[in-house]
Amino acid sequence: MNMLSEKKKDVTILYVREERLDAHNSGDLKTELASLFEGKEKSILVDLKDVRFIDSSGLGALVSGFKNAISHQGNLKLSGLQPQVKSMFELTRLHRVFEIFTSSEEALETF
């Protein structure tokens, strides 16, 4: 999976550089998020602005990351959801679980 991470202030931003987040590549995201939290990162922002499609596996990877955040007393937020991806979060009611922001810049101000 094509991902890029950078540190801004005390927040690690993980940019998902894929058009699809599905069963084919969601395991990589799940592993990366687990690795970041186990590596003592506390604040992670997942930027999904390049993702145009997400399925249940992709949602599951993000939920797993959210659970990791809680167990490590951390924080996981999302930004840049495209309309089709946002509708999946609304359909599954996960928009009530995650803090979702329009842009990374907006999200960074909330950590």
Side-chain angles (χ1 to χ4, degrees), residues 26-87:
S26 60
D28 295 339
L29 177 60
K30 182 178 178 180
T31 301
E32 180 66 17
L33 289 171
S35 172
L36 287 169
F37 282 114
E38 288 168 13
K40 307 300 181 210
E41 293 296 328
K42 293 291 182 193
S43 299
I44 298 176
L45 172 63
V46 180
D47 187 304
L48 298 170
K49 69 180 172 219
D50 292 334
V51 178
R52 307 241 180 270
F53 173 83
I54 192 167
D55 70 1
S56 60
S57 299
L59 292 172
L62 291 169
V63 168
S64 175
F66 186 78
K67 288 180 179 179
N68 259 320
I70 291 170
S71 68
H72 289 91
Q73 289 80 45
N75 205 342
L76 176 70
K77 300 181 183 186
L78 308 176
S79 70
L81 274 63
Q82 297 297 320
Q84 187 171 354
V85 173
K86 187 176 181 182
S87 70

Side-chain angles (χ1 to χ4, degrees), residues 1-37:
M1 172 182 246
N2 189 6
M3 291 180 280
L4 173 71
S5 66
E6 74 172 325
K7 192 96 166 176
K8 285 193 179 177
K9 301 180 185 175
D10 291 332
V11 179
T12 298
I13 305 173
L14 185 61
Y15 298 95
V16 177
R17 300 288 190 215
E18 297 283 342
E19 283 195 19
R20 297 176 61 89
L21 184 52
D22 54 23
H24 174 72
N25 57 14
S26 60
D28 295 339
L29 177 60
K30 182 178 178 180
T31 301
E32 180 66 17
L33 289 171
S35 172
L36 287 169
F37 282 114

